[in-house]
């Protein structure tokens, strides 16, 4: 059967999906009665399902990916042209789009110099972890194998990346986990730890990382892995003073700083990469989602030249190099799409748009706080924004996850798709998460805010 995007039987498609597709993050029992949603078309910030319903997408493909919007023929054309010329060869050899994209990417990342290709954010972080572990054996006699990760951060779905997951409910039923992954405290000022120094919380929160380092032993720790802005863990930006102190700690104890830009990378926060807001120099940066805006699968593990050079220095050349491969890291579609994706961001001045529209979105959402007592906090960076919902603003007692689900369901029923913390924590699945495309207009964002306003009012009236 030949697939025709403009000619399909919607009932047949939904039935086939229900009977044979295993969806991500989905309980399938309800599909026996209602049938799954099948998205069949996208244009700009809108998508349509198989039943013809139109939605305004406020989370860029549900998982903050389609940064430049749907229907970009220039990306699709570039991918098609590349595929018929040269679709694949393992990255044991090079290819034109990978070489060209690497140069363009590195030009946006001062201090970084080497790009390792794979095909998902989880895999990009796995590569980073393997780099750290191999360095531990090559340079430190196998001692600096421990990798620190932060409470509430998220780095992927494989067993190793789940071992580095600060979202404890996501880990349930998947253990035992990989050893030598150590958690450090979160930096959410709204949920500050008891006894925290609130006059300088950012520095205090960073110093909690140092405490863990000293407890574990600095000689055992190889890397610290952090999101620049915690995304699925509640959209958390670290307070002032945090990042300079983090960098200082890493340098003091000879620990590699690994920044996970899978969500924030390629413009989401208003700079090419989230860490660039804070003036720090990482040793490893990982990225995926927005790299090609979902038009092709691609992820990158980017390192400094100093990290790369460690894999050329060894008495035994058979073991010196990074003995790793990603099969689909050799696909040419990813870097071909990524090149055009970056050109769109540049040509349409989308970084500037993110800063302007992000401020408008946060201002509008703060306006809702005066109207709805259930909103305890609005926070974020650029077009990555969270709305934390509470039962009481004084006690900050979180609402149940079912309340946030009801609000999201109301928005969906009225044609707006929003995100939420999703079975990640025991009690703090209480944040609405927004990540609209970088092409967002004021009118788009006003529609999103209006839908949330109405959904909150309706949900609260039934509580």
């Amino acid at each position: 059967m030949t697939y025709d995007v403009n000619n399909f039987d919607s009932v047949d498609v939904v039935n086939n999906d229900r009977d044979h597709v295993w969806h991500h993050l989905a309980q399938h029992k309800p599909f026996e009665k209602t049938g799954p949603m099948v998205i069949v078309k996208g244009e700009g910030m809108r998508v349509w399902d198989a039943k013809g319903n139109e939605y305004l997408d406020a989370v860029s493909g549900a998982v903050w990916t389609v940064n430049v919007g749907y229907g970009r023929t220039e990306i699709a054309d570039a991918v098609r042209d590349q595929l018929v010329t040269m679709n694949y060869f393992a990255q044991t050899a090079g290819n034109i789009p990978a070489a060209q994209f690497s140069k363009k990417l590195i030009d946006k990342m001062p201090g970084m110099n080497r790009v390792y290709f794979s095909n998902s954010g989880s895999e990009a972080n796995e590569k980073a972890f393997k780099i750290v572990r191999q360095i531990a054996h090559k340079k430190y006699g196998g001692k600096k194998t421990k990798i620190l990760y932060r409470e509430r951060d998220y780095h992927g779905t494989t067993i190793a990346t789940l071992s580095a997951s600060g979202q404890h409910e996501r880990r349930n039923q998947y253990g035992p986990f990989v050893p030598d992954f150590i958690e450090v405290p979160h930096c959410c000022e709204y949920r500050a730890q008891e006894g925290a120094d609130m006059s300088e919380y950012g520095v205090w929160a960073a110093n909690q990382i140092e405490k863990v380092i000293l407890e574990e032993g600095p000689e055992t720790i190889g890397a610290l892995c952090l999101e620049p802005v915690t995304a699925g863990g509640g959209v958390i930006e670290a307070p002032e003073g945090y990042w300079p102190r983090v960098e200082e700690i890493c340098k003091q104890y000879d620990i590699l700083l690994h920044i996970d830009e899978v969500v924030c990378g390629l413009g989401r926060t208003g700079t090419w990469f989230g860490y660039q807001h804070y003036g720090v120099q990482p040793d490893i940066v990982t990225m995926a989602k927005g790299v090609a805006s979902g038009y092709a699968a691609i992820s990158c593990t980017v390192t400094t030249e100093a990290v790369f050079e460690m894999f050329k220095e060894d008495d035994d050349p058979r073991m010196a190099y990074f003995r790793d491969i990603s099969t689909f890291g050799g696909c040419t579609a990813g870097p071909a799409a990524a090149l055009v994706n970056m050109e769109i961001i540049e040509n349409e001045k989308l970084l500037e748009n993110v800063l302007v529209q992000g401020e408008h979105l946060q201002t509008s959402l703060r306006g809702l706080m005066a109207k709805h007592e259930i909103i305890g906090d609005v926070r974020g960076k650029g077009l990555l924004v969270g709305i934390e919902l509470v039962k009481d603003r004084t006690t900050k007692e979180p609402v149940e996850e079912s309340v946030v689900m009801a609000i999201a369901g109301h928005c969906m029923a009225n044609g707006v798709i929003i995100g939420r913390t999703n079975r990640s924590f025991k009690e703090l699945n209480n944040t609405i998460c927004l990540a609209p495309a970088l092409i967002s207009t004021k009118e788009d964002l006003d529609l999103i805010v209006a839908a949330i306003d109405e959904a909150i009012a309706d949900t609260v009236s039934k509580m």
Side-chain angles (χ1 to χ4, degrees), residues 236-263:
I236 301 163
E237 182 184 17
E240 185 177 352
Y242 183 84
W243 284 105
R245 180 63 183 132
V246 163
E247 185 175 40
E248 184 178 71
I249 290 167
C250 287
K251 288 179 178 178
Q252 180 179 352
Y253 297 109
D254 191 21
I255 293 170
L256 295 174
L257 178 57
H258 166 195
I259 305 294
D260 178 349
E261 292 273 357
V262 170
V263 172

Side-chain angles (χ1 to χ4, degrees), residues 142-384:
K143 292 182 179 179
K144 287 177 81 72
T145 57
K146 292 178 182 176
I147 295 169
L148 306 180
Y149 65 92
R150 187 172 57 194
E151 182 185 4
R152 299 190 67 150
D153 278 10
Y154 173 75
H155 303 294
T157 62
T158 62
I159 293 299
T161 54
L162 274 180
S163 301
S165 177
Q167 299 179 11
H168 301 155
E169 200 168 79
R170 283 187 182 274
R171 293 159 53 105
N172 286 354
Q173 301 180 343
Y174 296 117
F177 296 102
V178 180
D180 281 4
F181 285 90
I182 310 298
E183 186 175 270
V184 300
H186 70 77
C187 62
C188 180
E189 192 166 13
Y190 184 71
R191 294 282 173 188
Q193 298 88 338
E194 186 175 350
D197 179 2
M198 300 310 295
S199 67
E200 206 173 18
Y201 179 72
V203 174
W204 183 91
N207 284 338
Q208 304 318 297
I209 298 175
E210 183 180 35
K211 284 187 177 181
V212 175
I213 291 170
L214 294 174
E215 289 169 0
E216 295 291 329
E219 73 283 357
T220 70
I221 297 168
L224 169 63
C225 179
L226 302 172
E227 289 186 84
V229 177
T230 300
V235 188
I236 301 163
E237 182 184 17
E240 185 177 352
Y242 183 84
W243 284 105
R245 180 63 183 132
V246 163
E247 185 175 40
E248 184 178 71
I249 290 167
C250 287
K251 288 179 178 178
Q252 180 179 352
Y253 297 109
D254 191 21
I255 293 170
L256 295 174
L257 178 57
H258 166 195
I259 305 294
D260 178 349
E261 292 273 357
V262 170
V263 172
C264 294
L266 278 296
R268 170 60 52 196
T269 64
T271 51
W272 284 106
F273 296 94
Y275 74 87
Q276 292 171 340
H277 288 285
Y278 310 110
V280 295
Q281 177 57 63
D283 301 287
I284 302 171
V285 178
T286 47
M287 64 194 74
K289 299 183 184 295
V291 173
S293 288
Y295 284 83
I298 180 174
S299 66
C300 306
T301 305
V302 182
T303 74
T304 61
E305 192 68 6
V307 168
F308 174 75
E309 284 291 324
M310 291 189 219
F311 291 85
K312 292 160 57 178
E313 300 171 357
D314 200 302
D315 293 336
D316 183 355
R318 297 179 306 110
M319 301 294 285
Y321 62 95
F322 188 41
R323 299 184 321 282
D324 180 271
I325 188 170
S326 169
T327 297
F328 295 111
C331 287
T332 60
L339 267 169
V340 182
N341 186 66
M342 287 189 77
E343 289 171 1
I344 289 171
I345 294 172
E346 288 179 312
N347 296 339
E348 298 183 10
K349 295 181 170 51
L350 295 184
L351 298 183
E352 295 87 336
N353 189 62
V354 168
L355 294 175
V356 172
Q357 301 303 338
E359 181 59 33
H360 174 70
L361 178 58
Q362 288 205 45
T363 298
S364 299
L365 292 172
R366 290 190 187 102
L368 291 188
M369 290 184 69
K371 187 176 181 180
H372 301 291
E373 286 289 324
I374 195 174
I375 298 177
D377 194 29
V378 172
R379 54 183 181 250
K381 196 78 171 176
L383 286 173
L384 177 58

